[in-house]
């Protein structure tokens, strides 16, 4: 967007959405359903984060209105209209998503459909529902018209074309759009014709994300216009802002000294601890080397060209730096997974910090693009020591050490989708509507394990007096399993055994369990 800088997460979501729309042009099989679910999970998480970001923007607008209602009121009202338009559009999209889920999962209420996790939809490759609702019933065309209406209304809140140049709408309903055979099609057919339901849900969530992007840009532009051209100030004060009030012995104290709301073109000077300094772009940079521990004052005054002076005072502390290593997940490292840690040495430039770990085969690597974040990989149970050192020129000094326990990842338990961990009985209809088995980690295990999945399992029950086993080579129930479940009777027991789960260290057999039909 031209109206605001995108975060790396927003850029990633945009790229994932391009991949999603490209995959929709193919006859996608159920083997890639988890890809769409992953994309949708990321979009939903981004939407939650974006809601907080937009709320912060409105809070800034509220404060500006309280400080100067006369100057702010007109654009504040337009910002509130942008909020209303976006909420109305998002509610419309939300209603479509609920309608689609209710059509796909018969018998659930509006409230149940609103909170249903797409992972729990049995027919995740169902493309009849999106085609019927958006193409046959015409809601796709209606949705496109709603998008265009919303986009026009939002841009109309800006006063002129010059301000609209700062906004690049994320919506694209004009195309051209093409199907898998290269034929040009409408926007609604490109997005929803024979689109599997989990992909359609992701598309609707992406539309909400686009709406919040446009809302954020429009509201920020409205706020910018409030103060555009303001050059008059009625309060001038001196400020000194240290880069850090805690400085490690041997390091350098740094601070910026400037005038609040002062024209940066004005040349000023300052007397700082008896030293005369000149400004650059309205800012005076002050440095002072540290040679001993203690509390040190910084005092002086700023001189304006007209003769006015503004005094200031602050202080900083010089002490030996503490060193910390904190595990981002818990106070333990696990074998076979990436263990994220955050390290810090007070007063030291992160680029001069070196992090090492004890033990053969154990490694610690800095996360690309990060100053303080590392990934630890360990190979055997026991205890390891993480050491932090600071490199100064050719000299290296140990700043601190931390000890961590090393454990194996605990085995998850297998549960039927939608069931509690310790359930021993199940309603037949609920059983028949479940997709299969999911691995679930113990509730006191807070570590996030990527790619955790069940590879195969055996379901055994008694049919016509005979013990009959059924085998699935995935986590999903087979057609034969569904038939046995639908034909089951009250009191009939189902045994789940030979459950193989893909763990970070390799395939692991999980504990068997039994369910009785209620």
């Amino acid at each position: 967007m031209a109206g605001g800088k995108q975060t790396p997460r927003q850029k990633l979501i945009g790229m994932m959405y391009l991949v999603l729309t490209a995959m929709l042009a193919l006859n996608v099989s159920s083997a890639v359903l988890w890809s769409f679910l992953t994309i949708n999970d990321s979009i939903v998480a981004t939407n939650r984060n974006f809601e907080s970001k937009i709320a912060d923007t409105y809070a800034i607008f509220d404060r500006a209105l309280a400080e100067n209602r006369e100057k702010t009121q007109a654009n504040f009202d337009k910002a509130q209209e942008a909020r209303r338009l976006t909420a109305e559009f998002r509610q419309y999209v939300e209603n479509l998503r609920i309608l689609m889920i209710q059509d796909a999962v018969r018998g659930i209420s509006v409230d149940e459909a609103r909170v249903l996790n797409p992972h729990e939809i049995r027919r995740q490759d169902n493309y009849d529902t999106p085609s019927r609702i958006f193409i046959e019933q015409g809601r796709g065309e209606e949705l496109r018209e709603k998008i265009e209406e919303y986009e026009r209304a939002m841009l109309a809140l800006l006063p002129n074309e010059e301000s609209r140049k700062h906004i690049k709408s994320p919506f694209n309903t004009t195309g051209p759009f093409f199907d898998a055979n290269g034929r040009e099609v409408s926007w609604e057919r490109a997005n929803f014709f024979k689109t599997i339901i989990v992909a359609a849900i992701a598309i609707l969530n992406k539309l909400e994300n686009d709406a919040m992007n446009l809302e954020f840009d429009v509201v920020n532009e409205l706020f910018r216009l409030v103060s555009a051209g303001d050059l008059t100030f009625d309060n001038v004060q001196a400020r000194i802002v240290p880069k850090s009030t805690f400085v490690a012995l041997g390091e350098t104290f740094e601070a910026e000294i400037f005038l609040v709301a002062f024209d940066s073109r004005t040349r000023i000077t300052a007397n700082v601890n008896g030293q005369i300094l000149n400004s650059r772009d309205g800012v005076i940079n002050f440095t002072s080397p540290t040679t001993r521990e203690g509390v040190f004052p910084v005092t002086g005054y700023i001189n304006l060209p007209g003769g006015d002076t503004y005094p200031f005072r602050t202080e900083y502390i010089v002490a030996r730096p503490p060193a910390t290593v904190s595990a981002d997940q818990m106070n333990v490292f696990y074998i076979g997974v990436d263990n994220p840690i955050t390290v810090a040495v007070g007063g030291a430039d992160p680029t001069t910090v070196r992090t090492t770990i004890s033990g053969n085969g154990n490694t610690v690597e800095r996360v690309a693009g990060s100053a303080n974040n590392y990934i630890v990989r360990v190979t055997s149970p026991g205890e390891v020591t993480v050491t932090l050192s600071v490199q100064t020129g050719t000299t290296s000094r140990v700043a601190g050490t931390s000890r961590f326990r090393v454990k194996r990842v605990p085995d998850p338990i297998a549960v039927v989708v939608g069931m509690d961990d310790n359930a021993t009985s199940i309603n037949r209809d609920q059983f028949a509507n479940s997709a299969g088995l999911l691995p679930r980690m113990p509730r006191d295990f807070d570590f996030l394990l990527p790619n955790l999945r069940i590879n195969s399992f055996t379901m055994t029950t008694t049919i016509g007096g005979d013990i009959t086993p059924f085998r699935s080579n995935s986590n999903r129930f087979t057609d034969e399993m569904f038939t046995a479940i639908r034909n089951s009777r009250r009191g009939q027991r189902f045994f789940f055994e030979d459950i193989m789960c893909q763990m970070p260290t390799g395939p692991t057999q999980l504990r068997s369990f039994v369910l009785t039909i209620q």
Side-chain angles (χ1 to χ4, degrees), residues 108-160:
I108 65 173
S109 66
V110 170
D111 290 339
E112 290 172 331
R114 179 178 289 110
V115 300
L116 182 71
N117 191 316
H119 290 262
E120 298 177 358
I121 297 176
R122 178 183 164 192
R123 285 285 314 281
Q124 294 172 352
D125 58 349
N126 168 13
Y127 59 77
D128 294 327
T129 289
S131 296
R132 178 168 52 255
I133 289 176
F134 291 96
I135 305 302
E136 296 175 14
Q137 298 178 8
R139 288 189 173 86
E141 181 178 0
E142 179 182 274
L143 173 58
R144 175 178 54 77
E145 292 173 353
K146 286 283 187 181
I147 292 171
E148 293 168 352
E149 178 185 349
Y150 166 77
E151 185 180 39
R152 286 193 299 271
M154 290 291 285
L155 294 178
L157 295 173
L158 301 175
N160 50 52

Side-chain angles (χ1 to χ4, degrees), residues 88-103:
E88 184 177 276
F89 176 79
R90 291 186 64 191
Q91 185 59 58
Y92 173 79
V93 175
E94 172 72 4
N95 291 341
L96 286 178
R97 181 167 51 246
I98 292 172
L99 177 65
M100 184 170 59
I101 291 174
Q102 282 188 296
D103 184 274

Side-chain angles (χ1 to χ4, degrees), residues 297-309:
V298 178
T299 62
Y301 51 86
I302 295 175
N303 300 307
L304 294 185
D308 293 334
T309 61

